[in-house]
Amino acid sequence: MSTEGLRERRKRQTRQEISHVATRLFIEHGFENVTIAQVAAAAGVAKMTVTNHFPRKEDLLLDMHEELVAGPAQAVAEREPGESAPAALRRAYFEALARRDALIGFSGAEFVRVISGSPTLQARLREIHEQRERALADALAPELAEFTAKLLAAQATTAYRVLLEEIFRRTLDGADHEEIASAIEPLAEQAFDALQRAFERGA
């Protein structure tokens, strides 16, 4: 492996370790009650190291925000020839559902409680949804009128958000991953059926 490759791997490992330490502290004490300095001390790194990897405190917990933002747009951009945008979004979501993917909400009760108890994290999650919507609209733009692309991106993002909130709600109610997935499957079918109909009207 090259020197550059080793350096990048160490950076990723450091970033992951800091995020894990921060998540543990947030679960134990609450997001609002933990400072960046406390995270740095617990992780054994300088405060500047934490902020270099995570310019925003919220992203210590929501450390996969880039994947959250890019996911739907990537599903549309990389879909197979002949596959419609809604079909690609449906496929990607149900693949994530089959994996019980944390990116669609399978994060565990402790993690969900931290988010639910923090107005700051809830605001950041709303911002991530908005960024995801804009990215998806950009991905749809080459094949649709601008307004239609924005409208369908908003509808798709709403579906993702509502499904995420439903997974969170059931998680806090004590359901396990298998119970949640069984309950979410028909709701997701309903959501993506509606999206397909909207796409067919707008295309």
Side-chain angles (χ1 to χ4, degrees):
M1 182 178 292
S2 68
T3 302
E4 180 65 24
L6 287 170
R7 184 160 56 246
E8 289 303 313
R9 185 177 67 176
R10 291 192 186 104
K11 285 174 63 177
R12 286 194 300 271
Q13 289 173 339
T14 299
R15 188 179 191 278
Q16 187 176 49
E17 289 166 6
I18 292 170
S19 177
H20 286 168
V21 168
T23 299
R24 175 176 55 79
L25 291 175
F26 296 150
I27 288 171
E28 291 175 355
H29 305 291
F31 179 81
E32 316 294 348
N33 299 322
V34 176
T35 67
I36 296 293
Q38 288 171 326
V39 171
V45 298
K47 183 178 177 181
M48 185 176 292
T49 301
V50 176
T51 56
N52 283 343
H53 284 282
F54 300 95
R56 299 177 62 157
K57 179 184 169 184
E58 302 95 290
D59 293 335
L60 283 160
L61 188 76
L62 300 170
D63 61 315
M64 298 182 73
H65 62 279
E66 292 180 358
E67 292 88 339
L68 278 166
V69 169
Q74 186 174 358
V76 168
E78 297 179 356
R79 68 191 189 275
E80 296 295 325
E83 185 179 34
S84 72
L89 293 171
R90 182 197 296 263
R91 174 178 50 76
Y93 186 85
F94 276 93
E95 287 173 354
L97 183 62
R99 294 192 302 270
R100 312 300 190 249
D101 200 321
L103 287 175
I104 64 168
F106 289 88
S107 306
E110 291 181 329
F111 185 94
V112 176
R113 272 194 289 271
V114 173
I115 293 178
S116 300
S118 169
T120 304
L121 288 171
Q122 291 176 37
R124 177 61 174 139
L125 197 54
R126 287 192 295 271
E127 184 179 13
I128 289 170
H129 287 310
E130 290 169 0
Q131 292 171 341
R132 173 190 273 186
E133 181 180 324
R134 289 194 293 272
L136 181 54
D138 289 343
L140 291 167
E143 61 190 275
L144 297 171
E146 181 181 0
F147 177 80
T148 303
K150 289 180 177 179
L151 182 62
L152 290 174
Q155 290 175 309
T157 303
T158 297
Y160 278 105
R161 178 180 57 78
V162 172
L163 290 168
L164 177 71
E165 290 172 354
E166 185 65 18
I167 291 173
F168 278 5
R169 183 185 69 80
R170 291 175 182 273
T171 298
L172 292 176
D173 285 346
D176 63 27
H177 282 2
E178 301 310 310
E179 292 170 330
I180 293 170
S182 295
I184 289 297
E185 185 172 351
L187 300 180
E189 291 284 8
Q190 179 182 343
F192 287 102
D193 284 348
L195 183 64
Q196 179 67 48
R197 291 192 294 270
F199 180 85
E200 291 169 355
R201 289 195 299 269

